[in-house]
Amino acid sequence: MKNSDKNKFNPAQIIQDIQFFGEFGGVNPSISDSATYTFMKAKTMLDTFEGNTDGCYLYSRHTSPSNHYLSMAMAQMENTESANVAASGMGAITPVILQLAGSGDHIVSARTIYGGTYAFLKNFVPKFNIETSFVDITDLQKVEEAIRTNTKLIYCETLSNPLLELADIEALSKIAKKYNIKLVVDNTFTPLIFTPANLGADVVIHSLTKFINGTNDTVGGVICSTTDFINTLKNVNDGASMLLGPVMDSLRSAQILKNMRTLPIRMIKHSQNAQYLAENLEKDGVKVKYPGLKSHPQHELFKKMMNPDFGFGGMITLDLKTGEMATEFMEKLQEKNVGYLAVSLGFYKTLFNAPGKGTSSEVPEEEQAKMGLSDGLIRMSIGLDFDMENTYKKMKQTLQEVGYFDKQLS
Ligand SMILES: *Cc1c(COP(=O)(O)O)cnc(C)c1O
């Protein structure tokens, strides 16, 4: 699957071409170490409050030079007009939802999404009289049927957590446009691989905590969208990002901007390693789900939607049938230093956890089984291992040790 069509959107080249110099000619932009900013004229300050001045900084909750650099870089990578970074992924997701929906409104959301987002929609926004219908996002008819006159947005993840289901962004965008509502897409699992805005998404969100930063030393988030929508979020009078205040610290945004430079080569390596592992485990008869396998139900759709060159991503799931076997397997893998038993993803080391049923209790039990959401499901974020053959051998041996292959015979 190599498509080197030069006219295709090329986010790796975009990242390489981003050039911000420091104020003293530094090869990295200087870090802004200020919460507030001076004005030469009082009038300019008033204009800035009203959002009428470009290039003037008012107060760092609104934006800072360092946050502005990272936001611009993210907007370019996601091919949107503008962007605004946030202190965490949830600090990006929650203002978007609260900006687009208010009392009496309705949201259509994918039923398998990040646990925090699910909890926010299910348990938190009802306090503001906002209702959410959770649907199978791969069933476009169900999505359309769930839309009501008071629906304000469709919410989904490009590649879903934890089941690795792919949302057909182009088709969902057509539905959203038909009903004049917004399509909001969390692209955290698949940076560079997908560019949802090119497929019609109105708002694209990332948890920068994961692949984009890649070093698991900070949380961060970003909202990428039109200049209009980003300005609405930052409005001093009624902007959810401005008023709820989930602002990223300048030091952190400077760090993430530097780490972002290596994102293209990291994504390629994550994908290569995950592809190698998934293919070999599948050959061994292990129940493995990976979008780069022909056995993945949306393998063809993935190929149709993806940007070339970055592979099928670093996330795979294994189904070990029982929760006990999954637990034993993960603890042994950690003992052998294959990876860490930890939530989160996009790290240079492999991370694994068993997401269980906690976040998808909305889905009836029998449907959970059909979806493949079993107690023994392990989600793995494959690391940047240099010798993936060695990692694969260790995993296979560990599967033998926990009796995975015995069980299959019986
Ligand atoms: C981690 C994650 C989030 C939340 O991001 P934080 O940075 O932890 O706030 C949202 N969506 C997805 C898909 C995630 O993996």
Side-chain angles (χ1 to χ4, degrees):
M1 164 65 222
K2 271 277 158 296
N3 183 348
S4 48
D5 183 355
K6 293 261 161 46
N7 299 320
K8 278 251 163 78
F9 178 73
N10 186 342
Q13 190 62 45
I14 287 169
I15 289 178
Q16 193 179 324
D17 288 345
I18 290 169
Q19 192 181 56
F20 303 132
F21 293 115
E23 58 189 313
F24 304 109
V27 295
N28 291 305
S30 311
I31 298 170
S32 48
D33 196 23
S34 292
T36 192
Y37 303 84
T38 57
F39 289 86
M40 301 307 279
K41 297 268 183 237
K43 165 99 174 36
T44 321
M45 183 187 274
L46 279 178
D47 288 346
T48 306
F49 252 107
E50 286 163 12
N52 296 331
T53 42
D54 260 348
C56 280
Y57 294 94
L58 177 69
Y59 185 61
S60 283
R61 175 152 43 78
H62 185 256
T63 195
S64 66
S66 295
N67 287 359
H68 183 61
Y69 284 130
L70 180 59
S71 298
M72 283 198 294
M74 283 304 310
Q76 289 186 44
M77 181 184 123
E78 283 298 354
N79 207 19
T80 57
E81 283 175 8
S82 186
N84 192 35
V85 294
S88 68
M90 289 309 292
I93 291 164
T94 55
V96 167
I97 289 170
L98 291 175
Q99 195 74 46
L100 292 175
S103 180
D105 289 339
H106 173 253
I107 295 167
V108 174
S109 171
R111 63 186 177 181
T112 51
I113 49 174
Y114 176 70
T117 313
Y118 181 80
F120 183 71
L121 290 173
K122 180 145 195 291
N123 307 324
F124 200 93
V125 296
K127 286 197 241 188
F128 302 106
N129 191 28
I130 299 168
E131 205 190 330
T132 304
S133 300
F134 294 96
V135 298
D136 176 355
I137 204 72
T138 65
D139 187 338
L140 296 169
Q141 197 184 331
K142 286 251 171 65
V143 173
E144 188 160 359
E145 279 166 12
I147 294 171
R148 305 174 190 169
T149 52
N150 59 342
T151 304
K152 288 286 147 57
L153 64 128
I154 300 173
Y155 186 94
C156 69
E157 293 169 4
T158 335
L159 193 64
S160 83
N161 179 57
L163 289 173
L164 311 182
E165 290 170 335
L166 184 62
D168 186 341
I169 303 301
E170 214 164 355
L172 289 167
S173 136
K174 281 191 188 127
I175 295 174
K177 287 196 170 62
K178 180 170 162 192
Y179 293 93
N180 199 21
I181 60 180
K182 299 290 180 207
L183 176 62
V184 179
V185 178
D186 179 338
N187 198 31
T188 300
F189 277 26
T190 47
L192 303 176
I193 297 170
F194 295 122
T195 308
N198 288 356
L199 303 167
D202 297 294
V203 182
V204 180
I205 298 174
H206 279 280
S207 166
L208 299 172
T209 316
K210 317 296 168 51
F211 289 103
I212 293 174
N213 184 49
T215 43
N216 250 302
D217 45 3
T218 183
V219 290
V222 70
I223 304 155
C224 305
S225 188
T226 58
T227 304
D228 262 3
F229 186 62
I230 297 299
N231 285 344
T232 304
L233 286 166
K234 293 202 293 191
N235 188 294
V236 295
N237 293 308
D238 61 3
S241 291
M242 183 63 184
L243 298 178
L244 296 171
V247 67
M248 178 176 276
D249 182 72
S250 290
L251 210 62
R252 285 308 193 180
S253 48
Q255 169 205 321
I256 296 169
L257 181 63
K258 284 176 281 189
N259 283 2
M260 195 183 155
R261 297 294 188 174
T262 58
L263 181 66
I265 53 172
R266 285 188 283 115
M267 287 313 294
I268 290 167
K269 188 68 178 160
H270 283 298
S271 292
Q272 278 174 355
N273 282 352
Q275 183 81 38
Y276 176 86
L277 185 69
E279 280 175 8
N280 281 285
L281 290 175
E282 186 171 64
K283 272 188 217 138
D284 294 333
V286 178
K287 228 176 144 191
V288 52
K289 196 167 181 192
Y290 181 66
L293 294 175
K294 288 200 176 67
S295 58
H296 188 286
Q298 291 149 313
H299 178 69
E300 289 304 320
L301 176 64
F302 198 112
K303 286 207 287 194
K304 201 179 117 207
M305 281 170 56
M306 77 199 295
N307 293 317
D309 302 330
F310 305 103
F312 294 84
M315 305 301 295
I316 75 171
T317 64
L318 303 182
D319 190 349
L320 265 56
K321 308 271 167 20
T322 70
E324 294 73 38
M325 190 183 280
T327 303
E328 201 191 340
F329 177 67
M330 291 189 294
E331 286 175 358
K332 277 182 182 283
L333 280 188
Q334 181 161 255
E335 276 164 30
K336 297 177 189 190
N337 201 12
V338 173
Y340 299 137
L341 173 52
V343 296
S344 200
L345 49 126
F347 198 33
Y348 45 78
K349 191 99 176 171
T350 294
L351 302 178
F352 35 80
N353 72 300
K357 290 180 179 174
T359 57
S360 301
S361 51
E362 191 80 2
V363 185
E365 290 240 332
E366 57 189 62
E367 223 171 310
Q368 286 194 11
K370 249 195 278 170
M371 286 160 58
L373 199 76
S374 70
D375 280 348
L377 191 80
I378 297 174
R379 189 188 78 178
M380 289 194 155
S381 165
I382 303 304
L384 300 173
D385 304 28
F386 181 71
D387 184 354
M388 204 55 202
E389 191 184 342
N390 182 40
T391 302
Y392 155 67
K393 281 181 181 157
K394 284 186 182 172
M395 280 201 193
K396 187 176 176 185
Q397 192 200 353
T398 312
L399 283 167
Q400 273 158 353
E401 284 168 22
V402 301
Y404 179 82
F405 297 107
D406 311 343
K407 268 257 163 79
Q408 284 208 316
L409 290 176
S410 63

